Amino acid sequence: MRVLTMVGTDHHPFHRLVRWVDEWSRRFPADDCVIQYGTSMPPRHARGLAYVEPDELNAWMDQAQVLVCHGGPTTIVEARRLGRRPIVVPRRSRWGEHVDDHQYHFTNRLAQTGQVLTASTQHEFEILLDAALADPATVRRGDTDDDRQTAATVQRFGSLVAGLFQA
């Protein structure tokens, strides 16, 4: 598969990302595109599955040429572990995609250090996706000390955020 998109398992729908990828897929039907859409609306043009078993998802992530995802720390760490620099569209609270903007702030920090590519508009997203498909090296990462430190930081961040929402 060329493009794998993951919105994760959060109960908030992420229609915006599904719509962007699905619209891109409509214009490029020859490109194999799969969207894991969770509670969002299913795609109309791309292949879609609401949820995928973790082992199957990891296999798909390993095989896909380009990974597109929400700004969830676990998803990003897994993509980075597989040697990828994902295209990330963070969920935003103002559109009901999450409870706060931690994904936005977190992914902006990662983007500043070149560890992810981020898009805040559909146009930016399409430019990044087209560039990634034209030159797959743009979405591969090199092993650096920064990458290892970031993975540890992301895992710690995820633990702290999860602790905020425990009942």
Side-chain angles (χ1 to χ4, degrees):
M1 117 187 29
R2 292 194 51 165
V3 179
L4 173 62
T5 301
M6 301 157 287
V7 303
T9 58
D10 188 86
H11 71 277
H12 296 91
F14 198 7
H15 302 308
R16 180 169 54 109
L17 180 56
V18 172
R19 225 179 11 258
W20 290 1
V21 177
D22 200 38
E23 177 61 22
W24 180 90
S25 181
R26 182 188 63 78
R27 287 192 319 256
F28 299 97
D31 281 308
D32 187 18
C33 183
V34 176
I35 302 172
Q36 178 273 311
Y37 60 88
T39 60
S40 306
M41 63 184 180
R44 294 184 359 205
H45 308 287
R47 288 189 296 148
L49 293 157
Y51 299 100
V52 182
E53 291 296 323
D55 289 342
E56 186 174 13
L57 185 61
N58 285 339
W60 288 0
M61 288 175 74
D62 196 37
Q63 296 167 6
Q65 183 176 339
V66 178
L67 298 177
V68 175
C69 64
H70 66 121
T74 302
T75 304
I76 293 170
V77 166
E78 192 58 27
R80 301 283 301 162
R81 186 187 68 76
L82 292 170
R84 306 304 178 79
R85 184 164 65 148
I87 297 173
V88 179
V89 177
R91 293 171 177 265
R92 298 301 305 261
S93 62
R94 67 178 168 215
W95 295 311
E97 299 167 346
H98 218 302
V99 296
D100 61 26
D101 283 333
H102 74 272
Q103 286 192 0
Y104 174 78
H105 299 295
F106 175 68
T107 59
N108 278 345
R109 176 68 179 119
L110 292 180
Q112 288 172 3
T113 60
Q115 296 175 60
V116 299
L117 301 169
T118 59
S120 57
T121 68
Q122 185 173 352
H123 181 70
E124 289 173 354
F125 168 76
E126 290 171 357
I127 289 170
L128 288 174
L129 183 53
D130 290 343
L133 289 167
D135 182 6
T138 63
V139 288
R140 298 285 177 183
R141 70 162 183 91
D143 287 326
T144 67
D145 286 336
D146 285 345
D147 290 331
R148 287 183 285 280
Q149 290 174 345
T150 297
T153 301
V154 167
Q155 288 174 338
R156 178 73 177 130
F157 178 82
S159 297
L160 291 170
V161 169
L164 294 173
F165 299 103
Q166 290 178 354

